[in-house]
Amino acid sequence: EKTDRSKPMTLESDKPCVVNLVKQTSACSGNVVITQGTLLIRADKVELRETTDGYQVASATGADGRPAQYRQKRDGVDEYVEGAATRIDYDSRANTLRFEGQATARRLRGTVTADEIHGAVIVWDNTAEMFSVQGGAATAANPGGRVRAVLAPRDAASAPPAAAASAPLLRSTPSLGERR
Amino acid sequence: PVPVPAPSAPLAPMALKPSTQLTPTPRGDQVRQRPILLQADELRARPDLDAVAEGDVQFRRAGTFIRADRLTYDSPEDLAVARGQVRIEREGSIYRGPELQLKVQRFEGFFLQPEFEFLQLGSGGRADRVDFIDSSRSRLTNALYSSCPRDGSQDPDWLLTTSRIRLDMEANEGLAEGAVLRFLGVPILGAPVLSFPLSDDRKTGWLPPDIGLSSRSGFEFGVPYYWNIAPNRDATFTPTLLTRRGLAGTAQFRYLELHDSGQLQLHLLPRDRVAERSRHAWTFEHDGNRADWRYKAFLFRVSDDAYWEDFPKQIHSFTPRLLPLDVQGERVLQTPFGPGLAYARLLNWQVLTAKDPTAAIVAPYQRSPQLGLRLEPTLPGRLHGVLETELNRFTRPSVGGVKDDALTGWRAHALGQVSRRFGSAGWWLTPKLTLNAASYATDQPMSDGARHASRVIPTYSTEGGMVFERPSRWFGQAMRQTLEPRLLYANTPYRDQSRLPNFDSADRDFNVVTLFDDKTFSGIDRVADAHQLTAGVVTRLVHAASGAELLRLGLAQRLLFRDQRVTVPPAGQPLTSRVSNLLLDGATSLLPGWTLDAAFEYNPDTRRTVRSNATVLYQPGPFRTISANYLLTRGLSEQLGVGWQWPIYRGTARPVGASGGCGGTLYAVGRLNYSLQDSRMTGLIAGVEYDAGCWIGRLVAERQSTARNRATTQLSLQLELVGLSRLGSNALQVLKDNIPGYRLLRDPHGVPPPIADPSGP
Amino acid sequence: CGFQLRRAPELPFSRLALAGFAPRSPLAEELKRTLEPTVEVVESVNRAEAVLQALVDRRERSVTALTAAGQVRGVQLRVRLDFRLTTPGGREYIPDTTLQLARDMSYSETFALAKEQEEQQLYAALQTDIVLLLMRRLAEVKKT
């Protein structure tokens, strides 16, 4: 939601973070989880930087097959936006998220996947609430290297969940994994 | 902190769910429920609002597929606007054009300067504009339609130019307004309104005219009207003008119900100017089966005896001058003695006399009625039993209005048989005992004055045989050669049956099947006395790898230890020679594409072949077949039959159409029957078929001799515009019935399966 | 000269399903009787190890000789079976094959009743030969 940006941002990780006060950056690695209001980013390595005018810029990268993941609730609607890519760049001032490298973005109505988009680069503009997707080089998961999208019909919420949406149902884990 | 459900395991790529059945394309508002599948180089999407896709965009939803350079989709309006080499595909029809606006779910919108194509028929064309009304109906303005290649290399052979075409895929009907049909540039048909089928299914409406020329009825021109009453019922009415005889009409009604199917056909000539009377013929065929009850009917009736000469095409009976009126039913029974079959039948004949007295037909008996019960009782000790009991009333048909004075009456008969088969895969031995009991009650006194008679005649027979095999090599291929000796001993005491009537017995042809059968005559009334041994041997060459039989040669002969005194009147002769004729028969398909089948009956006393029959079939590939059949019956007839379907001119061989008939090929088709004995052609069908890919021209001449010096010649012309309709009389039926191995140039069931909705991306 | 008595062919499958035959087709019933001792004929395809699919199962009859006055003198009887043998999954044991045998029979309208019975006997003999040809083909199927 829009109010997320004004909320405090917490950051947890297995290994202690290396904080560089001069450049106002902190780099953490090992199962890093960032939360800010309904925003949640989970990745293997995260580099966080505070800009001069108080906004944060984070770039999270996954490792060896486990992509970085993102999840946030949309404004005023019981819908979530999720995304995963080898690298996610979050700019809280422009309120955009940039997924790069086998990027997948998904919009969920409650627990049901409404839209699902694959591409080389996906930019989710939170204020304009718009996906911009670029095709790119062919990859294993997406041989054509082209943008592929499944857009749910408008009033699917009232209709029974479209049987055709064969995306695997996301299981939500009961609680956050215990931190060691 | 608030327990925020963490995202699950890494997002697995979309897994396709196997679905066992083919889900049909949803229609109407169900379409709104289906997701939209988009592929593009670039995409900008605002959820639930709109999406803009660029670069080889592919848009797919519930059976509709759109491809374009650029596509914007407005979700609230459900409006897709596509630009740049737009191609839209829906239920077997494709439209291409520069720009498309379409309300996707209601499939409402328009297309400028589209080209269109119907996959099922391979036909299509161009139009100024197409307006989609809904998912199955659309309207084209100023459209050109043809099924000939439209790649601009040469103008299509036939072309339908219309001011407007309305297409309804659900009713599979195309309605062209202001239509002009040009064939090879010549306008051959102009119609304010012309309807044509959009698929091979049947459609109500005027079928193209039947055109023919016959030596007996002059020029024939008929326009059939087809009425598609229901998917399983239809009717065709064909008013026909015969220049020499006047106006005729044919009505045909066909039906296919759950348990019953059949057809009724009436051909009526109210006023025949040549014969100065009204003439008609009707045909009724019916076939029905319930759980364990089956019934059939074949009824043919014509108004006068010359019908088969004047209207050969209207006679569907197998024997043109002997028309059956046959109704039969049978029922499977479970009796305490074992499985059984009860059957009843009524068989009458209409016999057509010929003008030539020497060609008169001695009428066969009629069974009115025949009641029977057949049992296969389960006997102890692996004995196999068959018991057939029947009651028949034999009457005489009227020939030329008069009934001859041959004997008529009732016959009850019982045919009991008990046999036991010993043996394994390599040998077998089957002793069999048969009892043929019959009792007669005739209306007129028999030759000895009595009206009642009965007799019981037993037959004992033993059949045995062995099968030897050995591997061998022929022509460098591994083969297996078999040697199969076979013996049959049959013994039936002599019972004088000369005074008994003969209703249904006759001599049988001399072939392997009748030689190795313990009864000499067919039917019940005559049981030949026998004390004979039939010996035979067959050798086969079987291809080891595939098990295909490449060569079979057989030799068989019967030794008679006693004269056979029982004969079948009128022309039967007692057999006095100790050795029957020798039978040599064989078949081979050693040469690929060739099959040769021959049988010779050689009389050892006169050292001459009494009967020989040889068939050669050369069929190297589809649409190429030549068959020749030579039949000699010493002193009776010597016939030669040749049938052919062969391409004689091969144009630009472009494989086209479901059956791969090559475009631009001229086929010679036909069948010739020549009687060598009276050196005269007794039957000829000759024609040419030109397959130009998008149209087929068929010209067939049929000449059938109806008397020693008289014949009926029939010429029919047919033009089939693939994708539009068949023009001209049904010469196809004649070809299909008469030429062995003839194959349709367009296989009707070569229809592509329905396009399934690819559920899931 | 190397001939030995034929041994019963051991077919590489013990359960066979018949598909594509017309209901109560005489050829299918004779095939079942011939297969019975060595192979179990099952109804449902997925219980079978092999499926014998009949594409064409037809008895044909055509006039081969007509006299000058429209009397039929010669008839050719044909029994034809187009079949393919596949695994239930659809993999081919035997590709599409045509088995066709024909016999000629003289004919005379006067003996129509007798010729009708002779015709049935010839059809039965042709059908038995077709079943034997088919059994030889089945015996050669290699269980891959």
Side-chain angles (χ1 to χ4, degrees):
Chain A
E1 284 156 348
K2 286 204 174 44
T3 56
D4 286 348
R5 283 191 297 169
S6 54
K7 291 229 177 65
M9 174 179 279
T10 62
L11 189 145
E12 294 132 8
S13 68
D14 296 351
K15 300 201 188 70
C17 298
V18 171
V19 178
N20 176 336
L21 284 179
V22 170
K23 282 193 289 182
Q24 288 280 336
T25 65
S26 56
C28 321
S29 61
N31 222 330
V32 182
V33 175
I34 300 176
T35 52
Q36 187 187 35
T38 61
L39 165 72
L40 173 91
I41 293 181
R42 171 198 294 276
D44 213 48
K45 245 190 359 283
V46 167
E47 199 184 282
L48 191 62
R49 188 161 54 77
E50 189 100 0
T51 62
T52 50
D53 46 11
Y55 287 100
Q56 292 92 6
V57 173
S59 75
T61 48
D64 53 47
R66 271 197 295 92
Q69 291 173 344
Y70 152 84
R71 181 182 166 84
Q72 189 172 25
K73 185 173 175 307
R74 280 187 63 197
D75 212 13
V77 176
D78 174 19
E79 285 180 7
Y80 282 85
V81 172
E82 269 183 12
T86 41
R87 177 188 160 90
I88 300 181
D89 295 309
Y90 168 59
D91 175 347
S92 66
R93 188 161 54 76
N95 197 358
T96 61
L97 278 113
R98 190 171 185 282
F99 303 87
E100 193 173 348
Q102 295 184 336
T104 309
R106 213 199 294 287
R107 177 172 65 96
L108 294 102
R109 288 197 189 105
T111 56
V112 169
T113 305
D115 304 339
E116 177 161 344
I117 298 172
H118 300 264
V121 172
I122 302 179
V123 175
W124 164 246
D125 178 336
N126 223 331
T127 38
E129 296 214 320
M130 165 132 85
F131 288 108
S132 309
V133 191
Q134 304 286 340
T139 62
N142 179 356
R146 280 158 50 79
V147 171
R148 280 187 302 113
V150 178
L151 308 177
R154 243 174 75 71
D155 41 19
S158 56
S166 65
L169 279 177
L170 294 182
R171 295 178 323 289
S172 56
T173 52
S175 67
L176 271 184
E178 282 314 312
R179 276 199 319 287
R180 272 178 296 290
Chain B
V2 172
V4 174
S8 72
L11 296 172
M14 288 280 180
L16 283 184
K17 218 169 39 182
S19 83
T20 43
Q21 349 81 7
L22 205 56
T23 47
T25 320
R27 289 189 185 289
D29 54 16
Q30 266 188 349
V31 172
R32 287 302 287 257
Q33 315 314 328
R34 305 307 286 274
I36 296 165
L37 281 66
L38 261 178
Q39 278 197 23
D41 293 346
E42 261 186 61
L43 172 69
R44 278 187 305 288
R46 285 190 300 163
D48 287 348
L49 287 178
D50 57 19
V52 176
E54 308 244 350
D56 186 11
V57 180
Q58 292 181 9
F59 171 101
R60 214 182 245 110
R61 171 153 88 172
T64 309
F65 169 73
I66 304 175
R67 187 240 152 264
D69 291 347
R70 189 173 186 285
L71 184 133
T72 61
Y73 175 68
D74 179 321
S75 192
E77 291 295 321
D78 188 28
L79 176 67
V81 176
R83 277 195 189 74
Q85 293 169 340
V86 182
R87 166 194 158 102
I88 181 165
E89 213 174 297
R90 169 98 191 157
E91 280 180 13
S93 51
I94 299 177
Y95 299 86
R96 282 188 207 81
E99 190 208 342
L100 164 75
Q101 279 204 0
L102 186 75
K103 283 214 168 8
V104 181
Q105 183 255 320
R106 287 209 306 277
F107 208 81
E108 194 194 301
F110 67 90
F111 215 148
L112 297 178
Q113 307 292 342
E115 280 174 19
F116 58 92
E117 213 182 307
F118 302 127
L119 296 181
Q120 233 169 352
L121 298 166
S123 59
R126 277 198 326 278
D128 287 353
R129 175 190 168 103
V130 62
D131 290 280
F132 300 114
I133 302 160
D134 63 26
S135 63
S136 59
R137 286 177 305 145
S138 52
R139 208 177 35 246
L140 297 102
T141 27
N142 296 337
L144 307 177
Y145 174 76
S146 167
S147 66
C148 299
R150 303 170 293 283
D151 46 22
S153 53
Q154 8 104 335
D155 48 13
D157 291 356
W158 67 267
L159 189 66
L160 187 72
T161 49
T162 69
S163 56
R164 204 155 59 132
I165 296 185
R166 275 205 302 275
L167 300 171
D168 184 337
M169 298 308 256
E170 222 148 80
N172 83 68
E173 180 186 50
L175 205 67
E177 286 154 19
V180 175
L181 178 61
R182 276 187 184 70
F183 179 61
L184 300 180
V186 174
I188 59 170
L189 192 67
V193 174
L194 175 76
S195 78
F196 56 92
L198 289 181
S199 66
D200 264 341
D201 307 350
R202 306 156 309 163
K203 194 196 65 44
T204 302
W206 290 100
L207 291 181
D210 275 351
I211 306 157
L213 190 64
S214 143
S215 61
R216 305 194 66 79
S217 313
F219 184 71
E220 292 174 24
F221 184 81
V223 185
Y225 179 79
Y226 178 81
W227 175 23
N228 186 7
I229 306 166
N232 61 342
R233 287 189 205 97
D234 65 21
T236 313
F237 307 99
T238 316
T240 311
L241 176 66
L242 309 171
T243 47
R244 286 181 54 190
R245 291 182 185 277
L247 197 61
T250 314
Q252 184 197 42
F253 168 64
R254 297 184 307 177
Y255 53 93
L256 184 62
E257 306 301 332
L258 183 60
H259 296 297
D260 302 80
S261 66
Q263 67 162 345
L264 173 69
Q265 173 152 345
L266 173 68
H267 178 250
L268 180 64
L269 198 62
R271 186 82 194 86
D272 179 345
R273 286 206 301 270
V274 172
E276 277 109 23
R277 49 162 297 182
S278 88
R279 313 184 67 182
H280 67 269
W282 56 268
T283 315
F284 174 60
E285 287 172 45
H286 182 93
D287 205 332
N289 54 60
R290 299 292 150 96
D292 45 21
W293 172 253
R294 277 162 65 139
Y295 40 93
K296 272 195 284 214
F298 295 99
L299 307 176
F300 300 96
R301 200 74 188 165
V302 291
S303 58
D304 55 285
D305 286 353
Y307 215 92
W308 65 282
E309 286 179 272
D310 297 342
F311 308 104
K313 260 199 321 191
Q314 301 304 341
I315 299 278
H316 301 297
S317 155
F318 189 65
T319 46
R321 288 183 51 206
L322 183 68
L323 307 181
L325 292 149
D326 185 355
V327 179
Q328 49 187 296
E330 63 183 37
R331 181 177 169 73
V332 177
L333 299 171
Q334 290 310 334
T335 69
F337 310 102
L341 182 76
Y343 51 92
R345 189 178 184 192
L346 198 64
L347 173 61
N348 288 350
W349 303 104
Q350 179 181 14
V351 184
L352 305 185
T353 59
K355 293 187 177 54
D356 166 6
T358 62
I361 290 183
V362 175
Y365 273 92
Q366 298 183 136
R367 294 178 192 270
S368 57
Q370 169 191 23
L371 306 169
L373 175 67
R374 204 165 196 286
L375 286 175
E376 300 207 13
T378 45
L379 300 172
R382 289 166 56 97
L383 283 174
H384 175 58
V386 176
L387 175 64
E388 177 189 281
T389 56
E390 247 186 52
L391 178 66
N392 274 281
R393 167 142 180 69
F394 292 102
T395 57
R396 295 300 296 162
S398 66
V399 179
V402 80
K403 286 204 173 187
D404 58 20
D405 54 6
L407 217 57
T408 60
W410 289 86
R411 180 192 75 190
H413 86 262
L415 203 60
Q417 199 177 87
V418 173
S419 62
R420 167 83 157 81
R421 179 186 166 95
F422 303 87
S424 71
W427 64 281
W428 83 90
L429 185 70
T430 314
K432 180 159 73 170
L433 180 65
T434 313
L435 275 177
N436 180 329
S439 79
Y440 298 88
T442 56
D443 305 336
Q444 306 83 0
M446 285 185 260
S447 56
D448 63 357
R451 283 172 178 268
H452 296 276
S454 62
R455 48 77 174 158
V456 176
I457 304 171
T459 298
Y460 167 75
S461 73
T462 304
E463 186 185 358
M466 310 177 85
V467 178
F468 296 98
E469 275 189 11
R470 71 172 179 184
S472 68
R473 290 193 71 79
W474 290 66
F475 318 112
Q477 288 198 337
M479 298 277 188
R480 270 216 312 282
Q481 189 178 8
T482 75
L483 194 61
E484 300 165 32
R486 189 175 174 187
L487 282 172
L488 167 70
Y489 169 72
N491 187 316
T492 308
Y494 168 71
R495 290 287 187 282
D496 176 15
Q497 299 151 54
S498 54
R499 57 178 176 72
L500 297 177
N502 173 29
F503 296 125
D504 65 357
S505 267
D507 248 320
R508 291 197 300 178
D509 290 350
F510 187 84
N511 55 41
V512 175
V513 177
T514 54
L515 265 173
F516 283 100
D517 189 348
D518 57 10
K519 60 191 210 329
T520 312
F521 301 131
S522 60
I524 300 293
D525 291 319
R526 286 297 181 274
V527 181
D529 57 321
H531 178 31
Q532 61 202 21
L533 178 71
T534 309
V537 66
V538 169
T539 177
R540 301 173 200 263
L541 214 50
V542 176
H543 188 244
S546 71
E549 181 183 285
L550 298 183
L551 173 73
R552 184 192 78 239
L553 274 177
L555 202 62
Q557 191 166 31
R558 181 175 280 173
L559 312 172
L560 295 100
F561 307 122
R562 195 175 66 209
D563 293 354
Q564 178 191 312
R565 294 156 61 196
V566 177
T567 61
V568 173
Q573 294 302 331
L575 292 180
T576 54
S577 62
R578 280 296 161 264
V579 168
S580 79
N581 290 341
L582 177 69
L583 176 71
L584 173 73
D585 82 333
T588 175
S589 49
L590 273 172
L591 298 174
W594 289 85
T595 35
L596 171 68
D597 198 322
F600 301 96
E601 183 185 339
Y602 172 78
N603 184 328
D605 307 339
T606 64
R607 291 193 192 297
R608 292 179 59 166
T609 55
V610 171
R611 195 166 186 281
S612 59
N613 170 359
T615 312
V616 177
L617 179 67
Y618 176 56
Q619 200 164 16
F623 312 113
R624 304 158 72 94
T625 175
I626 293 183
S627 70
N629 180 305
Y630 170 78
L631 184 65
L632 162 72
T633 315
R634 185 72 61 194
L636 193 59
S637 78
E638 191 177 2
Q639 300 252 358
L640 181 70
V642 179
W644 66 89
Q645 176 187 27
W646 201 263
I648 44 179
Y649 159 75
R650 181 169 298 287
T652 52
R654 295 190 311 281
V656 87
S659 58
C662 317
T665 314
L666 188 67
Y667 293 93
V669 287
R671 184 175 64 83
L672 167 79
N673 279 39
Y674 186 80
S675 162
L676 295 161
Q677 194 189 3
D678 43 28
S679 62
R680 196 169 158 285
M681 194 166 52
T682 57
L684 168 74
I685 297 169
V688 279
E689 266 184 308
Y690 180 69
D691 178 355
C694 56
W695 62 273
I696 298 175
R698 204 171 278 122
L699 181 67
V700 176
E702 187 183 346
R703 186 177 181 287
Q704 197 190 341
S705 72
T706 54
R708 187 152 299 288
N709 43 29
R710 259 216 327 262
T712 313
T713 37
Q714 185 97 14
L715 188 70
S716 43
L717 164 71
Q718 189 172 44
L719 181 62
E720 179 180 338
L721 303 178
V722 171
L724 195 60
S725 59
R726 282 200 177 109
L727 237 65
S729 56
N730 199 340
L732 198 58
Q733 200 54 38
V734 170
L735 298 179
K736 258 203 289 196
D737 290 351
N738 290 294
I739 301 175
Y742 172 81
R743 192 169 151 195
L744 215 57
L745 290 183
R746 281 297 176 284
D747 226 339
H749 46 70
V751 174
I755 301 170
D757 164 40
S759 56
Chain C
C1 49
F3 276 108
Q4 318 115 6
L5 219 51
R6 181 165 74 110
R7 288 178 318 286
E10 53 339 307
L11 300 178
F13 39 77
S14 56
R15 285 193 310 282
L16 175 72
L18 302 183
F21 284 96
R24 291 218 321 237
S25 121
L27 193 135
E29 267 153 26
E30 175 162 5
L31 183 57
K32 279 197 191 107
R33 279 198 310 274
T34 320
L35 284 167
E36 224 67 58
T38 53
V39 171
E40 182 201 352
V41 178
V42 292
E43 282 315 311
S44 70
V45 171
N46 33 39
R47 264 196 63 233
E49 288 167 3
V51 178
L52 180 69
Q53 167 94 18
L55 308 165
V56 169
D57 164 17
R58 240 198 339 245
R59 289 181 171 191
E60 290 162 5
R61 172 168 89 151
S62 59
V63 175
T64 53
L66 267 175
T67 67
Q71 294 155 310
V72 174
R73 282 297 168 268
V75 171
Q76 185 178 64
L77 309 175
R78 282 187 298 275
V79 171
R80 176 173 168 179
L81 173 70
D82 287 14
F83 74 98
R84 78 165 70 109
L85 188 73
T86 62
T87 63
R91 199 168 48 74
E92 250 178 29
Y93 278 129
I94 303 180
D96 292 8
T97 313
T98 299
L99 297 178
Q100 175 164 296
L101 288 176
R103 269 205 184 283
D104 283 282
M105 177 178 90
S106 70
Y107 191 86
S108 152
E109 279 82 355
T110 308
F111 299 115
L113 300 185
K115 285 294 175 182
E116 193 179 71
Q117 194 191 53
E118 185 177 351
E119 185 180 293
Q120 291 309 323
Q121 278 163 347
L122 288 178
Y123 270 134
L126 286 170
Q127 179 178 290
T128 305
D129 287 350
I130 289 272
V131 167
L132 288 180
L133 290 179
L134 179 61
M135 290 297 286
R136 277 195 185 281
R137 299 275 179 127
L138 298 182
E140 293 309 326
V141 166
K142 300 292 171 295
K143 189 111 159 103
T144 51

